Amino acid sequence: MILVLAIAVLLWVVGHFMGAPRQARWSMIGLLYIAVLGIQIAFPDGHPLRLATGESPALWLILGGFALLAVLYRAGLTRLRARAALSDAQEQDVAAATSGGFRETELNRYARHIVLREIGGIGQKALKDSKVLVIGAGGLGAPVLQYLAAAGVGTIGVVDDDVVENTNLQRQVIHADKSIGMPKVFSAQAEMEAQNPFVTVRPYHRKLTSEFAGELFGEYDLVLDGTDNFDTRYLVNETAVRAGIPLISGALSQWEGQLSVFDPANGAPCYRCVFDQAPAAELAPSCAEAGVLGPLPGVIGSMMAVEAIKVLTGAGTVLRGQMYIYDALYGESRSIRIARRDDCPTCGAGARATGSDG
């Protein structure tokens, strides 16, 4: 038995000098133990190998049992320490939320966020302190506004010059039949405040123009664009680039939707890097002309809200430099890489040098 212990010590020392990790050294000793136990069981009494390795398997079985108990004890202790560390982190998150100006009812409301390690109390406080501007209160804007309000984003601005129409209600689920004829921004505001009275909604019932876009964007941390015309999309993109804030943009067509996070300030392309110029009108018909599946804006709009929460809290991997495309008709989705263009008139080297957006 002494010989076997000496071999085990030798294996450990040699492994140490050879730079073998601790797990590998323990594995070698484990193999030695299995070999010795096999000898004790397989060979008859009095065999020289049995005599050299302890004569009886009982001793080795007892020794192995003690070793197993030690391993289990260490593993249990490690788990307890990990759970204690996680509990401490959760307590810190709750403390951060409690000290962040949340009422008791808000803590209960956002509890499912706070227990998420990637968000926690600190992330929920970041949402509360954030200001997000949503362009459009239609198909994409509806789920975006609903979920950002429900998530506890502190200040939400919404820009739209349109009024609620009967044909909107098939997909723009934030509006009700009683709201037909009402400006969309006020209809959306009423629903958001009814859902979460702890958020501030700023309605802008007007068309987004270059005259006031720059000043408006400067008041917000993030912009989401759910509009359905290219002139507005390019204006939103240019203004967001100038303000140095991320833009989450979504688009729909019949059964297909797409979204991406355009953020040149963090190395990602801008909208014009990908869509250099608007397509011909016949190649990009409106929803009224081509139709759109009712639930599709809910899918893409909800994903836009997810990306917004990730941007604001720093959780996960944001869709910067990627475009997500969803085909509802065939149940397929794919993500393609998109790159920044140095010759982009909005965020390229020339635009940065002249300080203009082309």
Side-chain angles (χ1 to χ4, degrees), residues 62-76:
I62 292 170
L63 184 62
F66 278 117
L68 180 61
L69 286 175
V71 170
L72 292 175
Y73 174 77
R74 185 179 179 84

PDB file of all heavy atoms in Angstrom, residues 62-76:
ATOM      1  N   ILE A  62     -12.472   1.241   1.310  1.00  0.00           N
ATOM      2  CA  ILE A  62     -12.687   2.219   2.386  1.00  0.00           C
ATOM      3  C   ILE A  62     -12.035   3.547   2.034  1.00  0.00           C
ATOM      4  O   ILE A  62     -12.624   4.629   2.196  1.00  0.00           O
ATOM      5  CB  ILE A  62     -12.124   1.669   3.720  1.00  0.00           C
ATOM      6  CG1 ILE A  62     -12.960   0.469   4.182  1.00  0.00           C
ATOM      7  CG2 ILE A  62     -12.117   2.758   4.793  1.00  0.00           C
ATOM      8  CD1 ILE A  62     -12.350  -0.280   5.357  1.00  0.00           C
ATOM      9  N   LEU A  63     -10.786   3.472   1.513  1.00  0.00           N
ATOM     10  CA  LEU A  63     -10.074   4.693   1.130  1.00  0.00           C
ATOM     11  C   LEU A  63     -10.819   5.436   0.013  1.00  0.00           C
ATOM     12  O   LEU A  63     -10.962   6.668   0.040  1.00  0.00           O
ATOM     13  CB  LEU A  63      -8.656   4.338   0.662  1.00  0.00           C
ATOM     14  CG  LEU A  63      -7.748   5.521   0.303  1.00  0.00           C
ATOM     15  CD1 LEU A  63      -7.516   6.410   1.514  1.00  0.00           C
ATOM     16  CD2 LEU A  63      -6.418   5.018  -0.252  1.00  0.00           C
ATOM     17  N   GLY A  64     -11.330   4.662  -0.959  1.00  0.00           N
ATOM     18  CA  GLY A  64     -12.095   5.284  -2.046  1.00  0.00           C
ATOM     19  C   GLY A  64     -13.374   5.925  -1.548  1.00  0.00           C
ATOM     20  O   GLY A  64     -13.788   6.996  -2.023  1.00  0.00           O
ATOM     21  N   GLY A  65     -14.026   5.282  -0.552  1.00  0.00           N
ATOM     22  CA  GLY A  65     -15.246   5.860   0.019  1.00  0.00           C
ATOM     23  C   GLY A  65     -14.985   7.196   0.692  1.00  0.00           C
ATOM     24  O   GLY A  65     -15.743   8.160   0.508  1.00  0.00           O
ATOM     25  N   PHE A  66     -13.878   7.261   1.467  1.00  0.00           N
ATOM     26  CA  PHE A  66     -13.524   8.528   2.109  1.00  0.00           C
ATOM     27  C   PHE A  66     -13.220   9.617   1.069  1.00  0.00           C
ATOM     28  O   PHE A  66     -13.597  10.782   1.224  1.00  0.00           O
ATOM     29  CB  PHE A  66     -12.325   8.338   3.039  1.00  0.00           C
ATOM     30  CG  PHE A  66     -12.683   7.784   4.380  1.00  0.00           C
ATOM     31  CD1 PHE A  66     -12.194   6.545   4.791  1.00  0.00           C
ATOM     32  CD2 PHE A  66     -13.514   8.480   5.237  1.00  0.00           C
ATOM     33  CE1 PHE A  66     -12.532   6.026   6.031  1.00  0.00           C
ATOM     34  CE2 PHE A  66     -13.857   7.962   6.488  1.00  0.00           C
ATOM     35  CZ  PHE A  66     -13.367   6.730   6.870  1.00  0.00           C
ATOM     36  N   ALA A  67     -12.518   9.208  -0.002  1.00  0.00           N
ATOM     37  CA  ALA A  67     -12.195  10.177  -1.056  1.00  0.00           C
ATOM     38  C   ALA A  67     -13.463  10.695  -1.733  1.00  0.00           C
ATOM     39  O   ALA A  67     -13.596  11.894  -2.017  1.00  0.00           O
ATOM     40  CB  ALA A  67     -11.271   9.527  -2.091  1.00  0.00           C
ATOM     41  N   LEU A  68     -14.420   9.764  -1.966  1.00  0.00           N
ATOM     42  CA  LEU A  68     -15.679  10.165  -2.586  1.00  0.00           C
ATOM     43  C   LEU A  68     -16.449  11.137  -1.689  1.00  0.00           C
ATOM     44  O   LEU A  68     -17.009  12.132  -2.151  1.00  0.00           O
ATOM     45  CB  LEU A  68     -16.528   8.939  -2.894  1.00  0.00           C
ATOM     46  CG  LEU A  68     -17.886   9.191  -3.551  1.00  0.00           C
ATOM     47  CD1 LEU A  68     -17.705   9.876  -4.908  1.00  0.00           C
ATOM     48  CD2 LEU A  68     -18.658   7.884  -3.710  1.00  0.00           C
ATOM     49  N   LEU A  69     -16.479  10.866  -0.396  1.00  0.00           N
ATOM     50  CA  LEU A  69     -17.146  11.766   0.550  1.00  0.00           C
ATOM     51  C   LEU A  69     -16.502  13.157   0.532  1.00  0.00           C
ATOM     52  O   LEU A  69     -17.186  14.182   0.588  1.00  0.00           O
ATOM     53  CB  LEU A  69     -17.090  11.171   1.964  1.00  0.00           C
ATOM     54  CG  LEU A  69     -18.021   9.976   2.240  1.00  0.00           C
ATOM     55  CD1 LEU A  69     -17.754   9.418   3.629  1.00  0.00           C
ATOM     56  CD2 LEU A  69     -19.490  10.421   2.113  1.00  0.00           C
ATOM     57  N   ALA A  70     -15.174  13.175   0.453  1.00  0.00           N
ATOM     58  CA  ALA A  70     -14.468  14.460   0.422  1.00  0.00           C
ATOM     59  C   ALA A  70     -14.826  15.249  -0.840  1.00  0.00           C
ATOM     60  O   ALA A  70     -15.043  16.464  -0.789  1.00  0.00           O
ATOM     61  CB  ALA A  70     -12.959  14.217   0.502  1.00  0.00           C
ATOM     62  N   VAL A  71     -14.896  14.533  -1.972  1.00  0.00           N
ATOM     63  CA  VAL A  71     -15.243  15.198  -3.235  1.00  0.00           C
ATOM     64  C   VAL A  71     -16.667  15.756  -3.174  1.00  0.00           C
ATOM     65  O   VAL A  71     -16.925  16.889  -3.581  1.00  0.00           O
ATOM     66  CB  VAL A  71     -15.083  14.222  -4.418  1.00  0.00           C
ATOM     67  CG1 VAL A  71     -15.679  14.812  -5.692  1.00  0.00           C
ATOM     68  CG2 VAL A  71     -13.615  13.901  -4.627  1.00  0.00           C
ATOM     69  N   LEU A  72     -17.592  14.929  -2.668  1.00  0.00           N
ATOM     70  CA  LEU A  72     -18.986  15.385  -2.575  1.00  0.00           C
ATOM     71  C   LEU A  72     -19.123  16.567  -1.624  1.00  0.00           C
ATOM     72  O   LEU A  72     -19.877  17.514  -1.882  1.00  0.00           O
ATOM     73  CB  LEU A  72     -19.879  14.222  -2.112  1.00  0.00           C
ATOM     74  CG  LEU A  72     -20.052  13.070  -3.110  1.00  0.00           C
ATOM     75  CD1 LEU A  72     -20.857  11.943  -2.476  1.00  0.00           C
ATOM     76  CD2 LEU A  72     -20.741  13.568  -4.380  1.00  0.00           C
ATOM     77  N   TYR A  73     -18.403  16.518  -0.512  1.00  0.00           N
ATOM     78  CA  TYR A  73     -18.445  17.628   0.444  1.00  0.00           C
ATOM     79  C   TYR A  73     -17.929  18.914  -0.199  1.00  0.00           C
ATOM     80  O   TYR A  73     -18.529  19.985  -0.047  1.00  0.00           O
ATOM     81  CB  TYR A  73     -17.597  17.275   1.669  1.00  0.00           C
ATOM     82  CG  TYR A  73     -17.446  18.416   2.652  1.00  0.00           C
ATOM     83  CD1 TYR A  73     -18.481  18.759   3.522  1.00  0.00           C
ATOM     84  CD2 TYR A  73     -16.261  19.154   2.698  1.00  0.00           C
ATOM     85  CE1 TYR A  73     -18.349  19.804   4.415  1.00  0.00           C
ATOM     86  CE2 TYR A  73     -16.113  20.210   3.582  1.00  0.00           C
ATOM     87  CZ  TYR A  73     -17.160  20.530   4.440  1.00  0.00           C
ATOM     88  OH  TYR A  73     -17.022  21.573   5.310  1.00  0.00           O
ATOM     89  N   ARG A  74     -16.824  18.801  -0.929  1.00  0.00           N
ATOM     90  CA  ARG A  74     -16.250  19.982  -1.583  1.00  0.00           C
ATOM     91  C   ARG A  74     -17.199  20.541  -2.643  1.00  0.00           C
ATOM     92  O   ARG A  74     -17.380  21.759  -2.747  1.00  0.00           O
ATOM     93  CB  ARG A  74     -14.908  19.615  -2.223  1.00  0.00           C
ATOM     94  CG  ARG A  74     -14.169  20.802  -2.830  1.00  0.00           C
ATOM     95  CD  ARG A  74     -12.846  20.351  -3.425  1.00  0.00           C
ATOM     96  NE  ARG A  74     -12.137  21.461  -4.023  1.00  0.00           N
ATOM     97  CZ  ARG A  74     -11.352  22.309  -3.364  1.00  0.00           C
ATOM     98  NH1 ARG A  74     -11.183  22.156  -2.057  1.00  0.00           N
ATOM     99  NH2 ARG A  74     -10.739  23.288  -3.984  1.00  0.00           N
ATOM    100  N   ALA A  75     -17.829  19.637  -3.409  1.00  0.00           N
ATOM    101  CA  ALA A  75     -18.771  20.093  -4.440  1.00  0.00           C
ATOM    102  C   ALA A  75     -19.972  20.786  -3.812  1.00  0.00           C
ATOM    103  O   ALA A  75     -20.439  21.819  -4.294  1.00  0.00           O
ATOM    104  CB  ALA A  75     -19.219  18.913  -5.299  1.00  0.00           C
ATOM    105  N   GLY A  76     -20.475  20.195  -2.715  1.00  0.00           N
ATOM    106  CA  GLY A  76     -21.610  20.819  -2.034  1.00  0.00           C
ATOM    107  C   GLY A  76     -21.257  22.184  -1.472  1.00  0.00           C
ATOM    108  O   GLY A  76     -22.049  23.123  -1.552  1.00  0.00           O
TER     109      GLY A  76
END
